[in-house]
Amino acid sequence: MVNPNVQGKKYPATNPYLVGREKIREFAHAVKSTNPMNLDVFAAQAAGYNDVIAPPTFAVVIQERSLATVLADPEADIDFSRVVHGDQRFIHTRPIVAGDELVSQLEVASVKSLGAHSMVTFETKIYDVDKELVCTAISTLVVRGDE
């Protein structure tokens, strides 16, 4: 059972992640994106960006670094072997662009018990080096309890 006392807990910001052009292209191919701005620098520049832009779900790469922190926290008591991904949402204030240096900071938004199971919702804010919000990633994990 997940410790309900971690609801509201904020974890420290991650170290900066430098978003690479090829990482964006690889991710775009993996999610079957055909958007030229995800693959072609010239298409992205023609649209007003400095470099290729990431598909919206690329933010999960940044969020994952913060999730690793909470999953390793003994106070949270989340057994990752019992985790099922429940929901994922992204609220972008601007696209992620190759060359961005991004940090993320996670807060445990809620912990709910459903019988022997727990649902934990995380809200991760992703910022650029100017401390401007780029994206809010919201994810819910279901942690299966003993049956």
Side-chain angles (χ1 to χ4, degrees), residues 4-15:
N5 294 327
V6 295
Q7 181 169 314
K9 184 173 181 177
K10 289 185 180 181
Y11 287 80
T14 60
N15 291 325

Side-chain angles (χ1 to χ4, degrees), residues 128-145:
D128 63 20
V129 292
D130 296 323
K131 298 187 173 130
E132 295 292 324
L133 181 66
V134 174
C135 179
T136 301
I138 302 164
S139 63
T140 301
L141 301 180
V142 179
V143 184
R144 294 177 290 113

Side-chain angles (χ1 to χ4, degrees), residues 31-147:
V31 299
K32 308 286 189 221
S33 173
T34 58
N35 184 338
M37 291 187 295
N38 299 153
L39 306 166
D40 182 348
V41 175
F42 298 115
Q45 288 173 339
Y49 298 101
N50 291 334
D51 210 317
V52 294
I53 63 170
T57 54
F58 184 86
V60 76
V61 172
I62 313 305
Q63 182 193 31
E64 185 179 307
R65 302 171 86 231
S66 284
L67 283 172
T69 304
V70 70
L71 292 173
D73 180 5
E75 180 187 9
D77 197 24
I78 298 173
D79 180 354
F80 191 68
S81 71
R82 304 185 71 78
V83 167
V84 177
H85 198 251
D87 183 47
Q88 182 73 59
R89 290 175 277 150
F90 302 99
I91 304 164
H92 285 271
T93 57
R94 69 162 176 85
I96 295 173
V97 180
D100 278 342
E101 283 191 68
L102 303 174
V103 298
S104 60
Q105 185 164 28
L106 178 145
E107 178 177 354
V108 180
S110 70
V111 178
K112 297 177 184 172
S113 294
L114 301 167
H117 312 300
S118 297
M119 285 184 61
V120 187
T121 301
F122 305 99
E123 184 173 290
T124 305
K125 303 282 188 181
I126 299 172
Y127 300 95
D128 63 20
V129 292
D130 296 323
K131 298 187 173 130
E132 295 292 324
L133 181 66
V134 174
C135 179
T136 301
I138 302 164
S139 63
T140 301
L141 301 180
V142 179
V143 184
R144 294 177 290 113
D146 295 327
E147 305 208 26

